[in-house]
């Protein structure tokens, strides 16, 4: 793929909060999950996992845990990315537990988000949620913390591009 093709995917990506009723195909879901699996991670520990929530009751519980963001339940699939801090902590100590595992899960979720866009589907990053409630809904174990929910489906809206700060405003050279 050329840089231009990649840039088009990045530029097209929008935060979709309204979804059609069409199911996400198994093939598309597998491609999204495969993209996440290929994400880099600290020490290649891959200190994250993802829960695929297809069940309507589970998605409704996630929407409630996400402070009433009903679009989580409306999407046919919700992906919950979980940091496995004990895995990272065994190798990297406190920094691995407190930072690297969350970074690993975040990178994997970002790769999944870009794959969703490349497949013509829609998603939005959901980070506003009650961590304990989400952990309970998806069955997190000790040392596991949810870091993001990505509802995935066919977009039923075409949001406008959000305004971005200039390159000069976000980059500092030394």
């Amino acid at each position: 793929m050329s840089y231009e093709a990649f840039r088009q995917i990045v530029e097209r990506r929008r935060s979709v909060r309204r979804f059609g009723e069409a199911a996400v195909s198994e093939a598309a879901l597998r491609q999204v999950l495969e993209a996440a699996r290929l994400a880099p991670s600290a020490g290649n520990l891959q200190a994250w996992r993802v829960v695929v929530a297809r069940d309507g009751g589970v998605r409704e519980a996630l929407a409630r845990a996400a402070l009433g963001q009903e679009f989580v339940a409306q999407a046919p699939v919700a992906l919950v990315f979980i940091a496995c801090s004990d895995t990272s902590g065994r190798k990297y100590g406190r920094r691995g537990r407190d930072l690297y595992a969350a970074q690993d899960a975040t990178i994997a979720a970002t790769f999944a988000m870009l794959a969703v866009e490349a497949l013509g589907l829609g998603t939005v990053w959901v980070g506003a949620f009650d961590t304990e409630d989400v952990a309970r809904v998806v069955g997190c174990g000790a040392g596991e913390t949810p870091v993001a929910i990505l509802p995935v489906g066919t977009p039923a809206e075409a949001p406008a591009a959000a305004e971005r700060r200039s390159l000069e405003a976000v980059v500092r050279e030394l």
Side-chain angles (χ1 to χ4, degrees):
M1 172 180 12
S2 69
Y3 172 75
E4 193 54 41
F6 172 73
R7 183 180 169 111
Q8 288 174 7
I9 290 168
V10 171
E11 287 181 348
R12 270 195 331 255
R13 192 215 56 81
R14 300 287 185 271
S15 294
V16 174
R17 292 179 177 86
R18 286 192 10 214
F19 300 93
E21 294 181 16
V24 174
S25 75
E26 288 300 317
L29 182 57
R30 183 161 180 89
Q31 288 176 299
V32 168
L33 296 172
E34 183 67 17
R37 186 185 70 81
L38 295 172
S41 63
N44 195 33
L45 294 176
Q46 302 163 54
W48 62 274
R49 67 184 180 99
V50 62
V51 173
V52 178
R54 292 184 182 98
D55 179 81
V58 172
R59 293 191 328 273
E60 287 174 13
L62 288 171
R64 285 191 300 276
L67 314 176
Q69 296 180 80
E70 291 301 320
F71 54 84
V72 173
Q74 182 193 21
V77 176
L79 305 177
V80 182
F81 284 81
I82 298 166
C84 302
S85 56
D86 289 350
T87 300
S88 222
R90 280 192 287 280
K91 182 170 184 177
Y92 295 113
R94 182 176 174 190
R95 190 160 176 89
R97 278 189 305 278
D98 294 350
L99 180 62
Y100 297 168
Q103 288 176 329
D104 290 353
T106 300
I107 296 166
T110 302
F111 273 44
M113 180 175 262
L114 292 174
V116 165
E117 177 60 40
L119 291 165
L121 298 169
T123 190
V124 60
W125 187 284
V126 178
F129 53 79
D130 183 296
T131 302
E132 290 177 7
D133 284 351
V134 172
R136 180 186 46 74
V137 170
V138 299
C140 285
E144 296 182 337
T145 306
V147 297
I149 302 170
L150 300 183
V152 178
T154 303
E157 65 177 348
E163 188 173 321
R164 299 288 183 202
R165 294 166 43 199
S166 71
L167 197 56
E168 294 75 24
V170 297
V171 174
R172 183 176 112 190
E173 292 194 37
L174 301 175

